[in-house]
């Protein structure tokens, strides 16, 4: 197994002065290629903050994060944008599909951005079919069920063939059947060599992962 | 903007009445060729309903020196005892001591003269300034010639009493201004023998000034309405977004028992806490910005600034600017509080957001930058009311900018292009008719003919003078104002009449126009046709030179010179000068008021720039509110790897959705609504083509594109500064 992502001594503080507190107090993490890692923790424990740091959406106050041998800390905003475009896919808790775009258009969106790998349209069509939402591809988000919305969100995360998929509470808005289907999809991603990190507060959801890490007092156990 | 419009509009609208009252302006000012006082005074004294009268001797083209400045076109008003008809802004009345002068305020300001300063007057030597005056019967220096006032008793004290002094101006104050028509009729009957009589009434001065100021006021009022609409729409949208952000809080307050009125009132009070001082600040800034230029404009047309009279309109502006945000905040809060508290606490929306019901419908978005731009267009069009309001604001603004540019261009054309009068000759030469063959032989000349002009009065009602113009033969070779009805001049008894005169006298082809000539003779002509002429407000009559000279042998004679195609006016002027003529370039319709037109043109262009600022404000607000409401969409894009350029493309699409239709609306509005309406408002006696040219349209569209690009860059920069995780939360 080859290490894809390494985080070492990651610290993140929020607030200033006396109101300042450490959300992450020295997190260490090593994720291998093709591994599904679940980060379990209570609400407000810092799971989402860790996910944002790992995805280059935010910067840590201390520590280091390395993705495929490249340190995220030394990157400019432009380089971080490029990394997010080509190497990282995000699945958000509330899907975050753009309301004015159909499911298919949402999937196509990252593929149309400057610097995206070519062939996005074909990949988007294939992903939509593979995830079983081809029949509703032209529907707007509010015309879709929660499970369908989440599948489009996953397709959007995968359309540029990222090495790492970060999923924030991916089953949070789904019923039990849809949640089970989603976990199967995430599991399938690792089979294709992608690494997946999902954060959740549900222990049975975390149980589907290769490895479960628990966030307690700003550290991973 | 509102305060600026109030300061300028109120100042101009009320300026004349204020100044006329302060100056005790006469009801009638009659100018005539110089006459002995003994010949004029009995006729004036015999007029009915007179409260007072005074005489002046007005001497023009006087050499006047003040400090380092000099003018050979000075006007000296020699005042006889009696009411004076101007306002003394500083200093005192003229005494009987020689060597004292009162100067018009424009001269004092431009030449840096103060009380006690010295003036040099050709023939009189040094004079001391003892007063500074303002007289609203004419515009101020430098728009008019420099004017000073001297006392006749002081001149008499120095040069000896003149037994029968010469006068050429009579000022009449009536007991009852409503009797003006009767007094004018009586004056008309007793005016025979007074050559060069020109009469202007107090109302006539007001009408002339209102014509110029009216356009500026109308434009400012329209601009204020646009600014107010923009502010109301944007404040409303902003307040709505703020209420949406605080829905959970409203839900909590409703849950613990707060009433709907209480919640609406709370939001209204919060808005008032900000809007009252902000509105006051805005009105104060608008007042400070506009007061200086407005006062200078009023000074330039010899009117007084409004002073404390401006307090009421400014207070109204303040109330309005404070009230709009209060209503814009209170109303959405009241609407939101209709929802069940539990729905509000869950973060329900105010409505109208979901469903993709954008004005663009379900246009398919491609997966590329064009698709991104189309998404931007779809985002901005999802707020239909706001987009329509933005389109209205931008479209009307563009229309007004085009209108003002068209007006400025038209004024320039009228000022400089003789063709605007239908004139086809480029030069006049002060040579007798006998010199025509000699001039014709000069190179560069296509046609030449003697042109006769005389100022006459119509025989039925006293008022403005009429320009009577005569050519031998076909006058359309030299002057061809468009024929509106009837036919061209064909006989010595016929006349082509300007539409302005035809409207005043109710003339039609076949009617008879009777005019009184300076010699006292009356001439009658049958109206052959009505022509569109801008000269002298359309009060012009074209007749044959034979008929004109038969009635008025002393008519002013000069040669009208039409140049060959490609001939140099400078070279022809030189050749004509070599013959002993004094060649003069033909002017446009407003040639006499060149300075005033230049000032008006500058104001129109400045207002167009202010309108442009309204445009960029509306655009930035529309984009900013879209970006603020759709911050999570932009954050998702950025999280997916969209760089700053992609965000700019997104917002660029939104800007295009607002700007492109607005530009079309603006162009059509100016071409088919504003231009024709303004042309009718400005000139009712001729057809004026008031539409923006392709160059002006291209310039405005390019300017709009630059403004849109600037707005996109600024809003994209602001959106890019927000951390993605904050926008996602």
């Amino acid at each position: 197994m080859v290490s894809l992502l390494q985080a070492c001594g990651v610290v993140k503080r929020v607030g200033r002065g006396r109101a300042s507190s450490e959300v992450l107090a020295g997190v260490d993490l090593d994720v291998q290629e093709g591994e599904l890692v679940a980060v379990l923790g209570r609400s407000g424990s810092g799971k989402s903050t860790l996910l944002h740091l790992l995805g280059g959406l935010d910067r840590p106050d201390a520590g280091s994060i390395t993705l495929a041998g490249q340190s995220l800390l030394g990157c400019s905003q432009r380089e971080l944008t490029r990394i997010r475009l080509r190497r990282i896919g995000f699945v958000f808790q509330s899907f975050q599909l753009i309301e004015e775009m159909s499911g298919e258009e949402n999937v196509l969106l990252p593929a149309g951005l400057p610097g995206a790998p070519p062939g996005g349209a074909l990949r988007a069509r294939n992903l939509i079919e593979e995830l079983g939402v081809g029949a509703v591809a032209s529907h707007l988000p509010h015309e879709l069920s929660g499970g369908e919305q989440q599948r489009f969100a996953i397709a959007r995360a995968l359309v540029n063939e990222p090495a790492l998929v970060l999923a924030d509470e991916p089953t949070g808005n789904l019923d039990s059947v849809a949640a089970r289907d989603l976990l199967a999809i995430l599991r399938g991603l690792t089979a294709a060599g992608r690494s997946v990190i999902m954060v959740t507060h549900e222990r049975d959801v975390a149980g589907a992962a290769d490895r479960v890490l628990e966030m307690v007092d700003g550290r991973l156990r | 903007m509102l305060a600026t419009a109030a300061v300028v509009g109120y100042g101009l609208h009320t300026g004349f009445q204020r100044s006329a009252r302060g100056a005790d302006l006469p009801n009638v000012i009659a100018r005539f060729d110089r006459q002995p006082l003994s010949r004029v005074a009995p006729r004036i004294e015999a007029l009915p309903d007179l409260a007072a009268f005074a005489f002046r001797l007005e001497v023009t083209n006087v050499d006047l020196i003040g400090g380092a400045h000099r003018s050979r076109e000075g006007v000296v008003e020699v005042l006889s005892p009696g009411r004076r008809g101007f306002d003394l802004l500083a200093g005192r009345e003229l005494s009987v001591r020689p060597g004292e002068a009162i100067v018009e305020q424009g001269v004092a300001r431009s030449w840096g003269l103060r009380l006690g300063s010295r003036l040099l007057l050709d023939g009189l030597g040094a004079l001391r300034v003892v007063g500074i005056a303002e007289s609203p019967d004419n515009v101020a220096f430098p728009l008019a010639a420099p004017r000073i006032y001297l006392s006749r008793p002081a001149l008499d004290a120095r040069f000896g009493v003149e037994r029968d002094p010469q006068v050429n101006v009579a000022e009449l104050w009536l007991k009852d201004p409503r009797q003006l028509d009767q007094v004018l009729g009586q004056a008309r009957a007793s005016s025979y023998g007074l050559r060069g009589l020109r009469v202007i009434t107090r109302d006539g001065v007001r009408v002339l000034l209102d014509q110029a100021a009216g356009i500026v006021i109308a434009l400012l009022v329209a601009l204020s309405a646009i600014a107010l609409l923009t502010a109301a729409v944007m404040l409303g949208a902003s307040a709505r977004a703020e209420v949406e952000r605080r829905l959970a809080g409203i839900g909590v307050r409703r849950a613990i028992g707060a009433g709907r009125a209480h919640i609406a009132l709370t939001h209204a009070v919060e808005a008032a806490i900000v809007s009252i001082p902000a509105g006051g600040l805005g009105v104060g800034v608008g007042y400070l910005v506009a007061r200086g230029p407005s006062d200078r404009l009023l000074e330039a047309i010899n009117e007084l600034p409004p002073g404390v009279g401006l307090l009421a309109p400014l207070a109204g502006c303040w109330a309005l600017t404070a009230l709009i945000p209060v209503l814009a905040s209170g109303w959405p809060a009241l609407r939101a509080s209709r929802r069940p508290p539990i729905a509000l606490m869950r973060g329900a929306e105010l409505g109208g957001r979901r469903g993709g019901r954008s004005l663009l419908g379900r246009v398919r978005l491609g997966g590329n930058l064009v698709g991104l731009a189309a998404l931007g267009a779809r985002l901005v069009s999802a707020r239909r009311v706001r987009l329509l309001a933005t389109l209205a604001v931008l479209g009307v603004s563009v229309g007004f900018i085009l209108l003002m540019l068209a007006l400025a261009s038209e004024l320039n054309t009228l000022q400089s292009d003789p063709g605007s009068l239908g004139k086809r000759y480029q030069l006049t030469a002060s040579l007798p008719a006998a010199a025509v063959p000699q001039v014709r032989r000069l190179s560069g000349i296509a046609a030449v003919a003697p042109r006769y002009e005389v100022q006459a009065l119509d025989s039925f009602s006293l008022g403005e003078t009429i320009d009577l113009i005569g050519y031998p033969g076909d006058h359309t070779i030299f002057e061809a104002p468009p024929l509106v009805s009837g036919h061209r001049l064909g006989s010595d008894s016929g006349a082509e009449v300007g539409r302005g005169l035809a409207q005043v006298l109710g003339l039609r082809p076949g009617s008879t126009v009777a005019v009184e000539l300076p010699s006292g003779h009356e001439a009658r002509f049958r109206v052959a046709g009505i022509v569109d002429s801008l000269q002298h407000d359309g009060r012009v009559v074209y007749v044959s030179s034979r008929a004109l000279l038969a009635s008025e042998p002393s008519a002013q004679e000069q040669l009208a010179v039409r140049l060959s195609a490609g001939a140099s006016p400078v070279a022809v002027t030189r050749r004509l000068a070599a013959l002993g003529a004094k060649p003069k370039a033909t002017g446009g319709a407003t040639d006499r008021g060149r300075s005033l037109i230049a000032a008006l043109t500058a104001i129109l262009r400045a207002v167009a720039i202010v309108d442009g600022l309204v445009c960029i404000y509306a655009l930035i607000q529309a984009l900013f509110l879209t970006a603020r409401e759709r911050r999570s969409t932009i954050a998702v894009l950025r999280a997916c790897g969209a760089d700053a350029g992609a965000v700019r493309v997104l917002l660029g699409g939104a800007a295009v959705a607002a700007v492109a239709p607005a530009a079309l609306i603006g162009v059509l509005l100016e071409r088919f609504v504003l231009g024709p309406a303004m042309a009718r408002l400005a000139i009712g006696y001729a057809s004026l083509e008031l539409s923006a040219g392709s160059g002006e349209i291209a310039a405005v569209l390019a300017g709009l594109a630059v403004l849109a690009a600037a707005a996109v860059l600024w809003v994209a920069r602001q959106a890019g500064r927000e951390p993605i995780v904050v926008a996602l939360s």
Side-chain angles (χ1 to χ4, degrees):
Chain A
M1 295 280 271
V2 179
S3 174
L4 176 72
L5 179 79
Q6 292 166 314
C8 188
V10 172
V11 173
K12 183 67 182 176
R13 297 184 192 92
V14 293
R16 286 183 183 173
R18 292 175 61 188
S20 171
S21 66
E22 274 189 350
V23 179
L24 301 179
V27 171
D28 298 312
L29 177 67
D30 191 341
V31 179
Q32 307 298 310
E33 282 183 358
E35 187 180 19
L36 173 57
V37 176
V39 177
L40 185 66
R42 286 182 294 108
S43 183
S45 61
K47 311 182 296 287
S48 294
T49 303
L50 175 63
L51 210 63
H52 293 151
L53 294 176
L54 297 179
L57 295 179
D58 203 356
R59 292 182 188 271
D61 294 313
S64 66
I65 300 169
T66 307
L67 178 66
Q70 183 176 8
S71 169
L72 299 189
L73 264 63
C75 289
S76 65
Q77 279 299 337
R78 185 184 292 263
E79 287 166 332
L80 278 179
T81 301
R82 185 95 175 158
I83 289 169
R84 287 200 300 272
L85 180 66
R86 302 193 70 131
R87 297 194 177 172
I88 301 172
F90 283 95
V91 180
F92 301 102
Q93 179 179 4
S94 50
F95 322 133
Q96 296 281 13
L97 295 177
I98 294 171
E99 294 152 6
E100 285 76 14
M101 303 176 93
S102 68
E104 183 182 8
E105 287 164 348
N106 267 285
V107 176
L108 276 167
L109 193 62
L113 294 173
L122 182 63
R123 286 196 303 276
R125 262 197 304 278
N126 291 340
L127 278 167
I128 287 168
E129 291 304 325
E130 282 171 22
L131 292 171
V133 283
V136 289
S138 62
H139 290 206
L140 290 173
H142 72 276
E143 297 165 339
L144 300 169
S145 69
E148 289 167 336
Q149 287 189 54
Q150 191 62 296
R151 284 165 194 251
F152 280 114
I154 290 171
R156 183 177 64 187
L158 298 176
V159 74
N160 284 340
E161 298 187 309
L164 176 66
V165 175
L166 302 173
D168 188 1
E169 300 278 5
T171 59
N173 286 309
L174 301 180
D175 60 34
S176 58
V177 176
R180 200 168 50 242
D181 290 348
L182 180 92
L183 290 173
I185 292 168
L186 294 180
R187 182 86 254 167
L189 295 180
T190 60
R194 293 196 176 89
S195 303
V196 179
I197 302 174
M198 68 171 173
V199 299
T200 180
H201 64 275
E202 297 173 83
R203 197 163 287 277
D204 51 338
V205 171
D210 297 324
R211 189 152 52 106
V212 179
L213 302 168
E214 193 160 1
M215 180 74 83
V216 179
D217 297 331
R219 287 192 171 84
L220 284 177
R221 292 180 183 166
Chain B
M1 184 69 212
L2 206 59
T4 302
V7 171
V8 181
Y10 183 81
L12 283 173
H13 184 61
T14 58
F16 178 76
Q17 290 299 358
R18 199 169 42 244
S19 309
R21 208 170 32 245
D24 187 25
L25 192 68
N27 298 102
V28 180
I29 301 172
R31 287 185 167 80
F32 40 85
D33 291 351
R34 224 180 255 210
Q35 302 284 328
L37 180 62
S38 62
R39 192 160 175 233
V40 184
R43 301 184 194 207
I44 299 290
E45 283 168 2
L47 292 175
D49 200 50
L50 276 190
F53 58 89
F55 295 102
R56 292 182 188 180
L57 176 65
E58 191 172 79
V59 187
T60 56
N61 297 320
V62 175
D63 194 0
L64 203 57
I65 299 171
H69 303 273
R70 179 176 191 165
S71 171
R72 289 191 168 86
E73 296 175 340
V75 176
V76 175
E77 306 271 2
V78 181
L79 308 175
S80 298
R83 283 162 84 164
R84 60 170 187 255
F86 58 78
D87 197 6
L88 209 52
L89 299 179
R92 59 170 172 81
E93 303 278 2
L94 294 165
S95 71
V96 294
R97 285 194 299 276
E100 291 182 351
I102 290 174
V103 297
E104 186 261 324
Q105 53 94 13
V107 184
R109 190 181 58 249
S110 303
W111 288 7
L113 299 175
R114 295 176 185 171
L115 296 177
S117 295
R118 289 172 72 81
L119 272 173
L120 277 176
L121 179 62
D122 188 23
L124 273 184
L127 299 169
R128 193 163 57 87
V129 176
V130 298
I132 293 172
E134 182 174 67
S135 178
D137 68 322
N138 198 359
V139 293
F141 179 77
L143 297 180
R147 190 157 45 153
I148 68 166
Y149 301 88
L150 302 179
S151 153
R152 183 175 290 278
L155 293 178
D156 287 346
R158 179 168 171 186
F159 297 108
V161 177
E162 206 176 343
R163 281 205 340 210
D164 192 5
Q166 299 275 308
V167 294
N168 57 5
V169 177
E171 297 174 303
L172 314 181
W173 286 266
L174 306 188
K175 288 177 189 161
D176 181 2
R178 287 173 298 185
Q179 304 302 319
L180 183 65
D181 283 349
Q182 284 83 339
V183 175
L184 287 176
Q186 183 70 32
R188 165 98 184 83
S190 59
S191 68
Y192 284 104
L194 287 184
R195 290 175 62 105
L197 180 64
R198 300 177 309 281
V199 176
I200 188 148
T201 63
R202 186 169 168 160
D203 284 344
V205 178
R206 182 182 57 77
V207 168
L208 281 176
L209 289 172
D210 282 357
Q211 272 179 354
I215 293 174
V216 176
I217 293 169
L219 288 171
L220 282 170
V221 168
L223 271 179
S224 304
I226 295 170
L228 201 60
L229 176 67
T230 311
V233 169
M234 298 309 165
L235 282 171
S238 183
R240 188 182 191 279
E242 181 63 17
V243 168
E244 198 146 331
R245 192 179 67 78
R246 297 170 59 184
L247 281 177
I250 293 174
V252 171
R253 280 190 284 162
R254 289 282 286 146
I256 62 175
R260 289 182 62 204
H262 173 79
I263 285 170
L265 191 65
T266 308
H267 279 78
V269 168
E270 284 177 10
I273 289 170
V274 177
S275 71
I276 289 174
L281 188 67
V283 168
V285 170
Y287 166 75
L288 291 176
V289 166
R291 193 188 65 173
S294 170
D295 286 358
R296 280 196 292 279
L297 181 65
L298 289 170
E299 278 174 6
I301 54 177
N302 258 332
E303 291 184 357
L304 293 171
V308 292
L310 201 53
L311 282 177
L314 286 179
C317 293
W318 189 2
L320 205 57
T321 50
L323 193 63
I324 287 173
V326 168
L327 293 176
S329 287
W331 175 245
L334 190 69
R335 275 188 62 209
S337 59
R338 269 198 315 223
R339 300 281 185 84
I342 193 68
L344 291 169
M345 284 191 284
R346 282 186 194 138
E349 291 169 348
L350 281 176
R353 189 168 196 174
R354 286 193 169 270
R357 289 171 295 174
S358 80
L359 287 178
L360 294 180
R362 292 287 298 270
V363 176
R364 190 178 167 79
L365 304 173
N368 49 31
L369 287 179
V370 176
L372 211 53
L375 172 63
R378 204 183 264 186
L379 291 183
V380 80
S381 64
R383 292 286 191 219
R384 285 175 295 177
V385 174
R386 189 191 308 153
L387 178 64
L388 289 175
T390 306
L391 286 179
V393 167
L394 287 178
V396 173
S397 294
V398 168
F400 269 96
I401 291 172
L402 286 171
L403 177 69
M404 278 176 270
L405 292 180
L407 260 175
S409 296
E410 191 63 36
L411 284 173
N412 270 338
T413 305
L414 289 174
Q415 181 179 324
S416 56
D417 181 12
S420 63
L421 299 180
K423 288 183 180 174
R424 303 167 82 177
Y425 62 95
Q426 292 79 23
L427 295 170
T428 54
S430 54
L431 288 170
V436 167
Q438 198 181 357
V439 173
R440 195 174 283 144
R441 281 196 293 274
L442 296 176
S443 69
I445 290 178
V448 60
R451 179 183 189 274
Y452 301 91
E453 181 170 342
V454 65
Q455 282 203 336
L457 294 169
D458 78 90
S459 293
F460 300 111
S461 70
L462 196 70
E464 281 273 311
T465 54
I466 299 164
D467 290 347
L468 207 61
I469 297 165
Y471 284 91
D474 183 7
H475 70 86
T476 60
I477 298 169
F478 298 93
E479 290 184 50
L483 191 66
V484 179
S485 62
H487 57 80
R488 290 288 183 188
L489 183 59
S491 68
D492 285 353
S493 61
E496 284 174 30
V497 176
R499 189 160 16 150
L501 184 62
Q503 284 173 351
V504 171
L505 299 181
L507 298 174
R508 295 185 306 276
S511 317
T512 297
V513 57
V515 294
E516 187 205 331
L517 296 160
S519 60
H521 292 124
E522 185 181 86
R524 288 173 177 260
F525 301 95
R526 192 179 53 77
V527 178
I530 309 290
V531 293
D532 246 355
S533 175
L534 292 171
Q535 179 167 337
H536 199 166
D537 297 348
R539 296 178 181 207
V540 59
V541 178
Y542 290 94
V543 295
S544 82
S545 59
R546 196 160 40 224
L548 176 59
L549 289 172
S551 305
E552 184 66 46
S554 63
Q556 184 197 354
E557 180 187 57
Q558 57 186 354
L559 298 188
V561 179
R562 189 171 163 183
L563 303 184
S564 308
S568 158
V570 178
V572 175
T573 300
R574 215 166 28 237
R575 286 175 207 128
L576 285 168
L579 291 180
K582 288 179 185 164
K584 202 173 161 193
T586 311
T590 55
D591 193 39
R592 290 173 212 167
R594 193 174 289 271
S595 306
L596 185 60
I597 293 300
L600 266 177
T601 305
I603 288 173
L604 287 172
R605 293 203 165 119
V607 175
I609 290 170
V610 174
D611 202 2
L613 294 178
V614 172
C615 274
I616 194 163
Y617 168 72
L619 253 177
I620 286 180
Q621 279 285 12
L623 290 179
F624 183 75
L625 286 169
T626 301
R628 185 170 148 185
E629 284 173 356
R630 309 315 300 269
R631 56 206 282 262
S632 65
T633 299
I634 294 173
V636 168
L637 268 172
R638 291 170 66 203
C640 290
D643 57 9
V647 175
R648 285 196 287 268
V649 170
L650 178 87
L651 291 171
V656 168
V659 165
L664 184 65
I665 291 169
V667 171
L668 296 176
L669 193 67
E670 193 278 332
R671 178 61 57 95
F672 296 109
V673 180
L674 297 177
M678 187 56 80
R680 276 197 300 276
L681 183 70
I683 297 176
Y685 53 84
S687 301
L688 192 64
E689 278 294 319
L690 200 58
S691 57
S694 53
E696 283 154 343
I697 292 174
V700 169
L701 295 187
L704 200 59
V706 170
L707 290 184
V712 165
L713 288 176
W714 188 78
V715 175
R717 190 180 161 85
Q718 297 298 315
R721 281 182 176 167
E722 184 175 35
I724 296 174
V725 291
V726 174
L728 281 172
S729 58

